[in-house]
Amino acid sequence: MLEIKNLHVKLEEEDKQILKGVDLTVETGKVHAIMGPNGSGKSTLSYVLSGRDGYEVTEGEAVMDGVDLLDLEPEERAAAGLFLAFQYPVEIPGVGNMTFLRTAVNAQRKARGLEEMSAADFLKEIRAKAKTLKIDAEMLKRPVNVGFSGGEKKRNEILQMAMLEPKMCILDETDSGLDVDAMKLVSEGVNALRNEGRSFLVITHYQRLLDHIKPDVVHIMADGRIVKTGGPELALEVENNGYGDILTEVA
Ligand code: ADP
Ligand code: MG
Ligand code: MG
């Protein structure tokens, strides 16, 4: 599904190398987690995959289903089935949540050669999906994320994901700022989207999210590289001992 090879990325404005040779393969239908200390490059990896400005790829590739994502515009990546749930969801004043989602869904469908969804079908689908995420109708009418609590913003990200039906979902610290109940809702939302044709890359600081979203593979990222890969037990090791032992071992 996604194969990242020797990815090197620096800041465009500064001579600062952030990713220093990331190698990572996420198979179709699998959930991979990336853990790692603050500043190790986890968010940068997700931004670069989704096509955010400000970064320069100096080496390497990121191939999704045979296409190098790095050659595509951000909207083309989304149309190809990539979705990023932000660590810090953006507020968009003046744009209604429902309008935003409908526009995104129809743009996506157009890019995939499908007809627009009728207003009635869209309403039916969004209401059903919002309900499972405990997002009320009022939140759908408000401007995107404006005045939403941290938990509401994260749930709204999962709603976007559910509506867009991506093939490859990247969640960047979706658990940060969530209380236990909100984390459970978000996790249930993600688990409901798991299927054999869809892959996930779940970036998190803490093992507790991985109690709810059980990963197939866990990677540790440090200083711009994946330094260790293992099963779910790796996340428990981090929980119990921190990153110190692993970093010493790989050094
Ligand atoms: P993580 O998500 O693992 O905490 P980040 O990808 O956010 O790490 O950051 C990796 C490193 O790159 C950090 O040292 C961070 O300060 C730096 N960095 C990322 N983006 C920028 C930027 N736009 N300007 C300056 N430094 C940046
Ligand atoms: Mg961070
Ligand atoms: Mg981050």
Side-chain angles (χ1 to χ4, degrees), residues 18-219:
I18 300 177
L19 301 184
K20 303 173 181 173
V22 173
D23 289 299
L24 176 68
T25 301
V26 182
E27 305 83 3
T28 305
K30 299 289 182 195
V31 177
H32 284 231
I34 299 184
M35 303 182 77
N38 247 328
S40 53
K42 305 182 296 299
S43 289
T44 301
L45 176 63
S46 64
Y47 292 150
V48 169
L49 290 176
S50 59
R52 181 171 167 157
D53 286 338
Y55 302 97
E56 187 187 328
V57 175
T58 54
E59 224 183 310
E61 55 181 34
V63 177
M64 187 172 83
D65 285 343
V67 184
D68 195 338
L69 288 174
L70 307 175
D71 294 336
L72 304 180
E73 296 299 322
E75 62 274 20
E76 295 173 321
R77 301 179 197 205
L82 183 75
F83 181 87
L84 169 63
F86 288 112
Q87 180 171 0
Y88 305 107
V90 182
E91 297 185 3
I92 315 179
V95 179
N97 208 16
M98 189 97 94
T99 308
F100 171 78
L101 270 169
R102 181 139 186 254
T103 307
V105 165
N106 281 329
Q108 182 96 299
R109 290 176 68 88
K110 193 172 173 199
R112 290 174 183 176
L114 299 169
E115 269 182 41
E116 274 201 2
M117 210 188 252
S118 75
D121 285 349
F122 177 80
L123 254 181
K124 209 169 132 192
E125 192 171 327
I126 198 170
R127 283 196 180 132
K129 287 178 171 167
K131 199 173 167 198
T132 61
L133 286 159
K134 294 208 163 69
I135 290 173
D136 62 34
E138 198 49 42
M139 256 171 82
L140 293 177
K141 288 185 204 146
R142 274 154 55 186
V144 181
N145 290 326
V146 176
F148 287 23
S149 73
E152 287 171 343
K153 284 181 181 171
K154 298 297 173 91
R155 276 186 274 148
N156 203 36
E157 293 283 291
I158 305 303
L159 177 65
Q160 290 173 16
M161 194 165 94
M163 290 302 293
L164 289 168
E165 303 189 335
K167 288 194 290 191
M168 176 80 227
C169 308
I170 306 175
L171 288 88
D172 189 7
E173 295 202 29
T174 293
D175 50 336
S176 69
L178 294 189
D179 60 33
V180 180
D181 291 334
M183 191 164 65
K184 243 185 118 202
L185 269 178
V186 162
S187 305
E188 282 165 5
V190 170
N191 287 332
L193 292 176
R194 283 174 87 153
N195 70 36
E196 57 192 21
R198 181 173 289 144
S199 310
F200 292 83
L201 198 52
V202 179
I203 298 172
T204 181
H205 245 340
Y206 301 105
Q207 125 80 24
R208 57 175 199 169
L209 180 70
L210 305 179
D211 282 338
H212 300 287
I213 304 173
K214 297 212 161 38
D216 298 294
V217 181
V218 174
H219 307 274

